[in-house]
């Protein structure tokens, strides 16, 4: 056993420096959600819509989450049903459940006594219009995270991957992609796990386990390439090697239970997560977009009232 005054081994010194500068452990994998992380959040469109109708913010997300696990939204994201007329009718019905509205309003009333004591009528929403607004908004690259992704890719230091709840747009839809996994954003990822293609969605633990398995396979099969020879990929990937970024707390909690490191991306403020990534990686990842939070924007064109 070493004496008190003996110098520690060099590898322990390096590990201690890494821990002090970059946190407990450098990840092998940086794993990204897509919507609300790499592209503009669809939740921004939801918030704008709620404000335009004078609905307490959070109702639509509450309604969608309460329809889990077998609501039309969840089934579409697992690839179990097509995006067709039947989906839009079912999704719209899921947004108009009186019992969910009453439970939500009572919850909000407990937090905000200024709300009326009498529960207002169930809001009338246009589910198809809202869905298409959400999807169109989330086609735009996030102005803070996308430049960071490009710099991480160019560094060749990490496995870059995506773990996303997705939908498949049918042929003829304006957002249809013949090759789902191609494009300026998706092409940056070494591994892309899409819910609609694997039949699972976050926060199902099996989704994270599948991602870990695919990342482990990728690392081992690419360990001897010139790019990766000195990155330890020959030992594969385990859950604790993965840093996961998401904008939904429930998804992050599930990832943490599986052993992932996690990083929250706040709505309209992805630059905060980029700053944290800089601390973790020791890299300059900022683009030149100003760090100004995205504010809700709305009009009264969709004039339904509660």
């Amino acid at each position: 056993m070493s004496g008190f005054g003996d110098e520690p081994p060099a590898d322990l010194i390096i590990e201690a420096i890494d821990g002090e500068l970059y946190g407990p452990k450098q990840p092998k994998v940086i794993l990204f959600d897509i919507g609300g992380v790499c592209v503009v959040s669809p939740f921004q469109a939801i918030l704008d819509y709620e404000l335009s109708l004078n609905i307490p913010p959070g109702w639509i997300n509450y309604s969608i989450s309460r329809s889990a696990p077998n609501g039309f939204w969840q089934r579409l994201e697992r690839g179990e049903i097509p995006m067709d007329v039947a989906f839009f009718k079912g999704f719209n019905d899921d947004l108009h459940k009186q019992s969910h509205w009453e439970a939500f309003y009572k919850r909000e009333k407990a937090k905000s006594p200024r709300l009326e004591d009498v529960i207002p009528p169930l809001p009338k929403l246009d589910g198809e219009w809202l869905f298409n607004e959400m999807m169109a908004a989330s086609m735009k690259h996030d102005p803070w995270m996308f430049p960071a992704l490009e710099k991480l890719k160019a560094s060749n230091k990490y496995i870059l991957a995506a773990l996303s709840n997705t939908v498949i747009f049918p042929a003829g839809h304006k957002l249809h992609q013949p090759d789902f996994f191609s494009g300026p954003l998706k092409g940056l990822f070494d591994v892309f796990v899409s819910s609609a293609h694997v039949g699972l969605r976050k926060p199902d633990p099996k989704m994270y386990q599948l991602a870990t398995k695919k990342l482990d396979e990728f690392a081992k099969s690419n360990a001897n390439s010139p790019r990766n020879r000195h990155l330890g990929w020959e030992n594969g990937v385990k859950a604790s090697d993965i840093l996961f970024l998401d904008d939904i707390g429930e998804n992050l909690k599930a990832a943490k239970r599986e052993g992932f490191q996690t990083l929250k991306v706040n709505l309209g403020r992805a630059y905060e997560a980029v700053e944290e990534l800089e601390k973790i990686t020791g890299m300059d990842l900022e683009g030149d977009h100003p760090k100004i939070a995205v504010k809700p924007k709305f009009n009264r064109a969709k004039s339904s009232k509660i």
Side-chain angles (χ1 to χ4, degrees), residues 113-149:
R114 291 179 297 176
L115 291 175
E116 296 178 12
D117 292 331
V118 177
I119 298 175
L122 177 69
K124 288 180 169 43
L125 307 175
D126 184 338
E128 183 171 356
W129 182 90
L130 173 62
F131 181 89
N132 285 318
E133 280 292 296
M134 293 167 62
M135 297 301 109
S138 62
M139 290 294 111
K140 302 170 186 172
H141 296 161
D142 183 88
W144 301 291
M145 193 62 72
F146 186 70
L149 261 170

Side-chain angles (χ1 to χ4, degrees), residues 35-241:
V37 177
C38 301
V39 298
V40 173
S41 175
F43 294 138
Q44 192 70 51
I46 290 177
L47 177 59
D48 294 342
Y49 188 48
E50 288 171 330
L51 292 174
S52 76
L53 301 181
N54 197 29
I55 298 170
W59 158 238
I60 293 172
N61 285 335
Y62 179 91
S63 180
I64 292 172
S65 66
R66 283 295 296 269
S67 68
N70 292 313
F72 279 78
W73 178 280
Q74 290 82 12
R75 292 166 62 196
L76 183 73
E77 287 192 332
R78 291 194 298 264
E80 296 171 357
I81 56 176
M83 189 188 299
D84 57 12
V85 172
F87 161 72
F88 286 115
K89 181 183 183 304
F91 176 55
N92 202 65
D93 289 345
D94 283 345
L95 294 175
H96 292 87
K97 295 191 181 298
Q98 182 68 30
S99 60
H100 291 175
W101 170 243
E102 291 176 3
F104 170 78
Y105 193 85
K106 289 175 182 176
R107 187 192 75 175
E108 294 304 298
K109 172 67 177 171
K111 294 189 293 187
S112 179
R114 291 179 297 176
L115 291 175
E116 296 178 12
D117 292 331
V118 177
I119 298 175
L122 177 69
K124 288 180 169 43
L125 307 175
D126 184 338
E128 183 171 356
W129 182 90
L130 173 62
F131 181 89
N132 285 318
E133 280 292 296
M134 293 167 62
M135 297 301 109
S138 62
M139 290 294 111
K140 302 170 186 172
H141 296 161
D142 183 88
W144 301 291
M145 193 62 72
F146 186 70
L149 261 170
E150 292 181 310
K151 292 182 180 183
L152 286 166
K153 183 70 172 179
S155 76
N156 287 331
K157 290 175 62 178
Y158 303 96
I159 298 172
L160 296 184
L163 180 65
S164 185
N165 289 346
T166 59
V167 300
I168 298 173
F169 296 102
H173 193 285
K174 64 180 180 179
L175 300 179
H176 172 69
Q177 293 176 277
D179 182 357
F180 182 90
F181 297 100
S182 67
L185 174 60
K186 292 173 183 173
L188 295 173
F189 297 112
D190 299 303
V191 174
F192 197 114
V193 183
S194 158
S195 68
H197 293 83
V198 301
L200 298 165
R201 67 185 294 277
K202 299 173 294 183
D204 187 335
K206 293 178 182 177
M207 185 68 156
Y208 304 94
Q209 294 160 11
L210 176 64
T212 304
K213 179 176 180 289
K214 288 183 174 292
L215 288 163
D216 181 63
E217 292 170 350
F218 175 85
K220 288 176 178 175
S221 64
N222 290 275
N224 293 321
S225 68
R227 165 193 164 191
N228 313 318
R229 195 165 293 147
H230 304 295
L231 297 177
W233 291 12
E234 67 277 3
N235 299 318
V237 168
K238 53 186 183 295
S240 60
D241 294 323

